[in-house]
Amino acid sequence: MKGKKEGMQLELYRFTALFAVGGIGYNGLEVLWRGYSHWSMTILGGLCFHMIGRIYLRLFSRTKTGCCALCALAVTAAEFLTGCVVNRLCRMQVWDYSGLSGNLLGQVCIWYTLLWGLLSLPAGWLYARLYRLPVMQAVRRIGGKKRIKRKSAS
């Protein structure tokens, strides 16, 4: 039972760390591209990083083109759903692609879908490298308490 619990903790640490990398990375890209970002993009970025990474881990060795296409579609779907909630339902007006050709309700456009297909290669590569790091040892060294065995006084 202890091994299963530690395995679940490892997955939670790994998920959280990768989510943070994806969220912060997405925000950074957006600030470089547009000059600003929004907190909702941190959440979307973390989720998209996981989607890209999981697709990359499963498909990249078989079909690089298919991997890029599937990542582009997954990110576009997530962006569309987020846009419908954040921009249309909550009226936050975080982005609007209405002025771009090939857009769908101003929430997604074909040009950004193609861009995400290309960006999925370095994002997937980074995810795979980070995913395979020995997370538990790093977490124990950084934030975990070391248990010191004390010798009993005899």
Side-chain angles (χ1 to χ4, degrees):
M1 187 71 167
K2 187 176 182 183
K4 187 175 182 177
K5 184 178 178 183
E6 284 182 356
M8 290 173 61
Q9 284 179 326
L10 171 62
E11 284 305 311
L12 180 62
Y13 291 141
R14 187 179 283 157
F15 178 87
T16 305
L18 290 169
F19 185 92
V21 168
I24 293 167
Y26 191 96
N27 267 349
L29 282 174
E30 199 165 54
V31 167
L32 289 173
W33 187 261
R34 297 191 322 165
Y36 63 95
S37 191
H38 188 262
W39 64 266
S40 61
M41 297 299 95
T42 305
I43 297 168
L44 179 61
L47 293 174
C48 287
F49 192 56
H50 272 292
M51 288 190 302
I52 289 170
R54 294 299 180 158
I55 292 167
Y56 188 94
L57 288 173
R58 291 180 188 258
L59 296 180
F60 190 75
S61 62
R62 289 186 230 152
T63 169
K64 291 166 184 50
T65 307
C67 182
C68 289
L70 190 56
C71 287
L73 290 174
V75 170
T76 300
E79 188 175 22
F80 181 75
L81 291 173
T82 302
C84 286
V85 171
V86 171
N87 294 329
R88 297 177 71 87
L89 187 66
C90 296
R91 301 180 194 276
M92 291 182 177
Q93 304 306 319
V94 177
W95 72 88
D96 184 6
Y97 298 149
S98 297
L100 299 173
S101 61
N103 78 78
L104 179 61
L105 301 175
Q107 304 311 304
V108 293
C109 77
I110 191 68
W111 306 112
Y112 284 107
T113 300
L114 295 172
L115 181 62
W116 278 113
L118 293 174
L119 288 175
S120 70
L121 289 171
W125 178 87
L126 178 62
Y127 185 96
R129 296 307 165 271
L130 295 174
Y131 184 83
R132 292 184 177 106
L133 286 176
V135 177
M136 283 302 281
Q137 287 77 17
V139 169
R140 284 186 181 148
R141 273 185 262 137
I142 293 169
K145 294 181 181 177
K146 289 186 178 181
R147 294 184 183 183
I148 301 171
K149 291 185 180 180
R150 297 183 181 203
K151 295 180 181 178
S152 58
S154 344

